[in-house]
Amino acid sequence: MDAFASILSAEMAKKKSASKPGSTDAKSATNNSSSGSGSKYIRRADIEKARQEQYLADQARLESERAERAQKKRKADEEAAAERERQLEKRQRLRDEKEKARLQKEQEEEEERKRKLREKNGGTDDGDADEEVKKDQIDEATAIEKLRELKEPIRLFGESNAQRIRRIQRLTGVREASPPPLSGGELLIDPKNVTKDPSYVRRQLLGWFRLVVSEWQIALAGRDEELRESYQGRQATTAMTQAIENLQPLFKHLQRGDIDEEIFAKIVELVVEAQARRYVRANDVYLRLSIGNAAWPIGVTMVGIHERSAREKLHEKGKSAHIMSDEATRKYLQSIKRCLNFAQTRWPPEDPMQIMG
């Protein structure tokens, strides 16, 4: 038994010694396979790192391209601004040269005028000439400011500074000579003065219409904000503005005294009735003034060489329709009607039968 055990242990020792080199080879094979797997497979961390590096490189490239484009744009803008500045300087230089030439021409014209004035006065300047020269020395800015105060155009086509100053002198002379406006009881018109003192009646008409317009403006300005901004409120404001604008030709005719006699007589009659608060009669006068009561042509009025019967009634004097005369007359006649409508609401009549429909 002991012999068998010794033999068995000897055999087992041999097998163990024979199996040791094989195990070493297996371990080396395993290590080789694991090292070979590094070239065949990639880790996720390596992929993420490579992606980040590529992203940063792309961003750096885009940033450099963006900076390059911005620099090019900035350079182009600077060049365009410099070009605009050169153009502005060139235009300013041309304007200065033209202004200098214009001033020089005006100075030469002024010298020529003074020379002719001296020749006319026998080689000496009298006091009036000196005064005129002093007035002509007004600079352009002062002349423009004066014209704006007078509510006149600051410059007419082809007008020089000397001509502008003479226009100011002419305007101020006319305005200083005009009589003061009437007010209060002076506005009550006496029909007898139409033939005795028509200029005073024209002043009374001007004062009455201006009184109605001013009261109209005050009435519209005193409305509530909601009513003023509504559709009806804006329409009322537009009607007042148009009436004031369309009355200006009538005011000019009254100031110059060149208004048509027939229209003047009818307007006086209308205002007299309105001042007496007889608005129905004033409306009748307005109808006679605007559309007249002459026969209106209907159909064919001239078919041969002979006039038809009663044809002369179409152009009968004193019965014509003045609203058909011209556009300016039509507009200020309609504005007179609007003033009459407002006067009826501002100064209502005591008799209800005198209220216009």
Side-chain angles (χ1 to χ4, degrees):
M1 188 68 182
D2 294 333
F4 179 76
S6 61
I7 293 170
L8 182 61
S9 61
E11 289 294 333
M12 290 177 64
K14 288 179 181 179
K15 289 182 179 181
K16 285 182 179 180
S17 62
S19 63
K20 283 182 180 180
S23 62
T24 305
D25 295 338
K27 288 181 180 179
S28 63
T30 304
N31 292 332
N32 291 334
S33 64
S34 64
S35 63
S37 64
S39 61
K40 186 176 181 181
Y41 301 101
I42 302 175
R43 294 185 303 170
R44 189 181 298 274
D46 296 337
I47 296 174
E48 184 66 21
K49 183 178 180 181
R51 189 187 65 79
Q52 290 181 357
E53 291 177 354
Q54 182 65 28
Y55 174 76
L56 293 175
D58 292 341
Q59 290 298 319
R61 179 177 54 80
L62 292 175
E63 185 65 26
S64 63
E65 292 177 357
R66 193 180 300 113
E68 185 178 357
R69 287 196 301 269
Q71 185 177 1
K72 289 181 179 179
K73 185 177 182 300
R74 191 182 307 110
K75 185 177 180 181
D77 292 342
E78 291 176 356
E79 292 177 355
E83 182 65 23
R84 286 196 299 269
E85 187 69 23
R86 285 194 296 270
Q87 293 293 333
L88 289 175
E89 290 178 357
K90 183 178 179 180
R91 285 197 290 267
Q92 184 65 32
R93 186 171 62 254
L94 291 175
R95 281 197 297 267
D96 293 341
E97 291 176 357
K98 289 182 180 179
E99 184 68 17
K100 184 177 179 180
R102 185 182 66 83
L103 293 176
Q104 185 177 0
K105 184 178 179 181
E106 289 183 0
Q107 187 176 2
E108 292 175 357
E109 292 177 355
E110 185 66 21
E111 293 293 335
E112 182 67 18
R113 188 186 65 82
K114 291 179 182 179
R115 185 183 62 79
K116 291 181 179 179
L117 187 61
R118 284 194 297 269
E119 292 178 357
K120 182 178 179 181
N121 295 329
T124 58
D125 295 339
D126 55 1
D128 295 338
D130 292 339
E131 183 67 22
E132 186 178 359
V133 170
K134 290 180 181 178
K135 288 182 179 179
D136 286 347
Q137 296 300 324
I138 302 176
D139 58 346
E140 187 173 357
T142 307
I144 290 175
E145 184 178 356
K146 185 66 176 176
L147 286 171
R148 283 175 176 164
E149 291 177 359
L150 297 174
K151 296 182 179 179
E152 293 289 336
I154 62 173
R155 184 176 289 104
L156 299 179
F157 180 75
E159 185 181 42
S160 63
N161 191 34
Q163 293 172 344
R164 187 183 300 113
I165 293 170
R166 284 194 289 272
R167 181 159 61 94
I168 292 173
Q169 294 172 358
R170 184 172 63 255
L171 290 171
T172 52
V174 171
R175 291 175 184 268
E176 290 173 358
S178 60
L182 302 177
S183 61
E186 297 175 338
L187 298 178
L188 295 177
I189 299 176
D190 187 1
K192 298 179 182 179
N193 292 331
V194 175
T195 55
K196 294 181 180 179
D197 193 0
S199 61
Y200 185 73
V201 176
R202 287 195 294 269
R203 290 175 57 195
Q204 288 178 317
L205 288 177
L206 273 173
W208 188 81
F209 280 115
R210 286 172 177 168
L211 173 65
V212 173
V213 167
S214 63
E215 291 291 334
W216 197 354
Q217 291 174 336
I218 293 172
L220 292 185
R223 297 174 298 173
D224 296 335
E225 183 70 22
E226 183 179 357
L227 179 59
R228 189 162 55 246
E229 295 298 330
S230 64
Y231 178 72
Q232 290 81 5
R234 291 197 299 270
Q235 274 192 329
T237 304
T238 303
M240 181 199 66
T241 306
Q242 288 180 351
I244 294 174
E245 182 180 354
N246 295 335
L247 282 173
Q248 298 306 316
L250 175 63
F251 292 167
K252 291 181 180 179
H253 286 309
L254 292 174
Q255 289 173 348
R256 293 195 298 260
D258 57 354
I259 188 172
D260 184 80
E261 295 181 0
E262 187 178 348
I263 296 177
F264 175 65
K266 288 289 195 303
I267 292 177
V268 170
E269 185 179 356
L270 184 148
V271 173
V272 168
E273 297 294 344
Q275 288 178 348
R277 302 189 183 185
R278 296 189 292 266
Y279 297 107
V280 174
R281 295 185 182 180
N283 188 52
D284 294 339
V285 176
Y286 168 74
L287 292 177
R288 293 199 305 270
L289 172 63
S290 58
I291 64 176
N293 54 1
W296 284 68
I298 299 176
V300 180
T301 60
M302 196 70 178
V303 295
I305 61 174
H306 302 290
E307 289 190 354
R308 301 182 65 179
S309 61
R311 179 178 171 79
E312 64 275 2
K313 292 183 179 180
L314 297 177
H315 306 286
E316 191 173 357
K317 186 176 181 180
K319 297 183 179 181
S320 59
H322 294 287
I323 202 169
M324 299 177 65
S325 299
D326 56 86
E327 189 69 12
T329 305
R330 180 187 67 80
K331 287 182 178 180
Y332 73 67
L333 288 179
Q334 289 179 347
S335 300
I336 289 175
K337 173 63 174 176
R338 289 178 176 177
C339 290
L340 191 62
N341 291 334
F342 172 75
Q344 178 180 243
T345 59
R346 175 63 179 82
W347 299 285
E350 297 178 358
D351 185 6
M353 299 298 294
Q354 290 298 325
I355 298 177
M356 293 185 298

